[in-house]
Amino acid sequence: MIKAKNLNKIFYTPEPLHALSDVSLDVAAGEVVVVIGPSGSGKSTFLRCLNRLEYADEGEVWIEGRNILDPACDINKVRAEVGMVFQSFNLFPHMSVLENLTMAQMTVRGRNRSDSESKAMGLLKKVGISDKHGVYPDQLSGGQQQRVAIARALAMDPKVMLFDEPTSALDPEMVGEVLDVMKTLAREGMTMVVVTHEMGFAREVADRVVFMDMGKIIEEGTPEHFFTSPRHERARNFLNQIL
Ligand code: ADP
Ligand code: MG
């Protein structure tokens, strides 16, 4: 479903900062890959390269056999098929919850209003907040806003969902409700790449854990392998700090 090959990304800050060095990752359909690593290790940059929010300097990104770095590739279609959920929700503040979920369905997917609204209502039910369709984002808790953001991404019928620390900005009591929605998606067979510090989620849901440090993937394996016998010392140190 996803094939990233030798991705390199340098930011000029103005000194060159090698945010990604030869990062390669294949993700099969239905697989859940959890990416962990210290702050600044390149996790967000990597995710952003997978839907071209960031343009890799070198390398290839294939989504379902389509090379998204090819300038001929319609990036709006790619973004519809690769849903992304951010730490900071990013809902449109001036639109109701329902409008947040219908707009891109109409403009990008070309659906009519009534089909878009019924799809939206179904998804709001799925994430457990159908009663909130008429309110504005600032009237919702952080956990509710994040569930709306997930529903909004799902409204595009994505083939892949990328999550960048989706629970890091939430009060602790709201983390569970968002992780529960993600667990349901994983169980239903969604292909997911999840950057998170929630190690319980990684252990329970990940098919594979990838550890990044200084712009590189330095360890990759099953949760069982990663949490019990990581080969790399930097991975062991990281686990000792957060567990
Ligand atoms: P992580 O998500 O693992 O914390 P990031 O991918 O956000 O790491 O960042 C990797 C490195 O690239 C960091 O050193 C960060 O400061 C730098 N970086 C990220 N985005 C930019 C940008 N737009 N401009 C300059 N430097 C950036
Ligand atoms: Mg990040």
Side-chain angles (χ1 to χ4, degrees), residues 11 13 17 19 38-45:
F11 291 113
T13 63
L17 190 153
S39 176
S41 57
K43 306 179 298 295
S44 296
T45 304

Side-chain angles (χ1 to χ4, degrees), residues 42-72:
K43 306 179 298 295
S44 296
T45 304
F46 174 55
L47 274 198
R48 293 163 63 81
C49 283
L50 298 182
N51 69 354
R52 231 174 82 183
L53 278 178
E54 208 73 77
Y55 206 103
D57 299 320
E58 277 173 42
E60 295 171 21
V61 179
W62 297 80
I63 304 286
E64 237 200 357
R66 216 161 5 149
N67 177 8
I68 68 164
L69 298 186
D70 181 344

